[in-house]
């Protein structure tokens, strides 16, 4: 899953792709590098970020989604927590909703169900502005799994079919760096949920705290973390650096997961 943030303030690519022409170029580059899915987001959800009103979110997303869905056949997911934005994005041709709110809004779930769209159920707690204060766990893997299970039940009850759902532990969302590392090590515990696991580790603070912000070091650390995630069962990785990740994972697949 290649990341395309159409926001002025995302932590790593904020402000670069607000212009639909540049967003399309970026999406084409991600596809050429081997992305199977493009994740387009109009609201930064980094810790402490202020919420974006849905009208502003849609003002950013609409031109980009229109261009992307008419110009590429690669599936588009929309990274949103807002029901209205999800509905509009699906109408505009997106086929997956990437919900970083852990299925908090029944309205959004209904919209996904009615459209027959795919659904990413990501673990988080509270609003991005306040989530750092909610990072309290006795057993982070067990609690994330239990909270994802509740979200999964809500999604299924709303009518989203299980086969269209994948789950994501939500690295960096209401977790300290240390909790993120414990969660990564224990990722296999989420297999109990019976759905494919997606992970977003690319350029995150948990990596920067270990290796600093130098791009090469950050990329290396992201690839190492992706490898750990895949060894523990992850099937989709959400990244900024698609070419490097593809190459790395293909080599890994050859050496560790012979598929003939
Ligand atoms: N992380 C971010 C945003 N959306 N979605 C899923 N499913 N999983 C993630 O880990 C995830 C996500 C945050 O990263 P980014 O999009 O790079 O930055 P920002 O929130 O500042 O736009």
């Amino acid at each position: 899953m290649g990341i395309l943030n159409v926001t002025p303030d995302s932590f790593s690519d904020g402000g670069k792709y607000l212009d639909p022409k540049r967003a399309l170029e970026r999406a084409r580059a991600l596809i050429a590098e081997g992305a199977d899915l493009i994740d387009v987001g109009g609201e930064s959800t980094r810790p402490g970020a202020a919420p974006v009103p849905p009208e502003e979110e849609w003002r950013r997303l609409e031109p980009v989604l229109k261009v992307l869905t008419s110009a590429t056949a690669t599936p588009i997911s929309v990274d949103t927590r807002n029901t209205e934005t999800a509905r509009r994005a699906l109408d505009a041709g997106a086929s997956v909703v990437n919900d970083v709110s852990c299925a908090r809004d029944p309205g959004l779930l209904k919209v996904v169900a009615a459209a027959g769209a795919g659904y990413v159920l990501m673990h988080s707690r509270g609003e991005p502005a306040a989530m750092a204060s909610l990072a309290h766990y006795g057993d982070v893997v067990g609690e994330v799994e239990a909270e994802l299970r509740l979200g999964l039940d809500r999604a299924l009850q709303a009518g989203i079919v299980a086969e269209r759902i994948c789950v994501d532990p939500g690295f960096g969302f209401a977790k300290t760096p240390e909790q993120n590392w414990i969660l990564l090590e224990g990722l296999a515990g989420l297999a109990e949920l019976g759905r494919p696991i997606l992970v977003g580790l690319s350029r995150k603070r948990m990596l920067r705290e270990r290796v600093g912000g130098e791009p090469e070091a950050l990329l290396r650390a992201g690839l190492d973390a992706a490898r750990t995630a895949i060894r523990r069962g992850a099937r989709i990785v959400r990244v900024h650096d698609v070419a490097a990740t593809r190459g790395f994972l293909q080599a890994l697949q050859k050496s560790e997961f012979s598929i003939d």
Side-chain angles (χ1 to χ4, degrees):
M1 175 188 259
I3 301 172
L4 181 61
N5 284 319
V6 290
T7 53
D9 58 344
S10 286
F11 68 80
S12 100
D13 57 359
K16 283 191 187 166
Y17 309 115
L18 280 166
D19 168 10
K21 256 174 63 188
R22 295 202 56 197
L24 179 61
E25 274 168 30
R26 177 66 184 152
R28 286 213 160 108
L30 293 170
I31 294 162
E33 290 177 21
D36 296 317
L37 180 66
I38 304 292
D39 188 43
V40 187
E43 177 187 40
S44 175
T45 45
R46 69 188 188 288
V52 175
E55 281 312 314
E56 171 60 17
E57 187 186 26
W58 185 243
R59 200 184 61 75
R60 296 173 186 175
L61 288 172
E62 183 181 22
V64 172
L65 286 176
K66 291 216 159 123
V67 169
L68 291 188
T69 53
S70 62
T72 76
T74 302
I76 307 289
S77 67
V78 61
D79 186 342
T80 187
R81 321 178 274 139
N82 292 314
T83 302
E84 201 41 42
T85 307
R87 187 200 331 272
R88 287 167 150 177
L90 294 173
D91 283 350
S95 48
V96 178
V97 174
N98 176 19
D99 176 12
V100 300
S101 83
C102 202
R104 210 167 302 147
D105 184 340
L108 182 141
L109 301 175
K110 289 250 156 63
V111 163
V112 175
Y119 182 65
V120 180
L121 167 68
M122 195 202 79
H123 178 268
S124 61
R125 288 178 174 175
E127 293 284 314
M131 66 187 176
S133 65
L134 301 172
H136 301 291
Y137 302 85
D139 158 18
V140 66
V141 178
E143 286 171 50
V144 166
E145 196 226 312
E147 289 167 31
L148 280 172
R149 192 176 292 281
L150 294 174
L152 192 54
D153 287 346
R154 289 192 290 275
L156 295 171
Q157 257 166 30
I160 305 177
V161 292
E163 290 68 26
R164 294 199 180 272
I165 303 176
C166 67
V167 294
D168 180 338
F171 290 106
F173 287 78
K175 286 133 199 133
T176 63
E178 198 199 346
Q179 289 161 349
N180 287 315
W181 288 108
I182 296 171
L183 195 50
L184 178 59
E185 280 306 322
L187 194 69
L190 301 190
E192 301 281 313
L193 295 165
R195 302 306 317 137
I197 300 170
L198 183 155
V199 290
L201 291 152
S202 185
R203 303 185 190 172
K204 287 215 167 147
R205 197 178 100 203
M206 61 190 278
L207 307 174
R208 266 183 287 138
E209 288 209 339
R210 285 210 169 165
V211 301
E214 199 266 314
E216 258 313 298
L218 204 48
L219 173 59
R220 233 330 85 213
L223 295 175
D224 284 344
R227 174 174 53 206
T228 304
I230 286 184
R231 283 179 174 159
R232 309 250 181 305
R235 285 295 166 266
I236 306 169
V237 288
R238 180 182 182 275
V239 295
H240 301 86
D241 304 286
V242 171
T245 307
R246 259 269 180 216
F248 182 81
L249 296 183
Q250 265 161 0
L252 180 71
Q253 195 168 39
K254 273 201 193 121
S255 64
E256 292 189 15
F257 304 99
S258 176
I259 48 157
D260 45 31

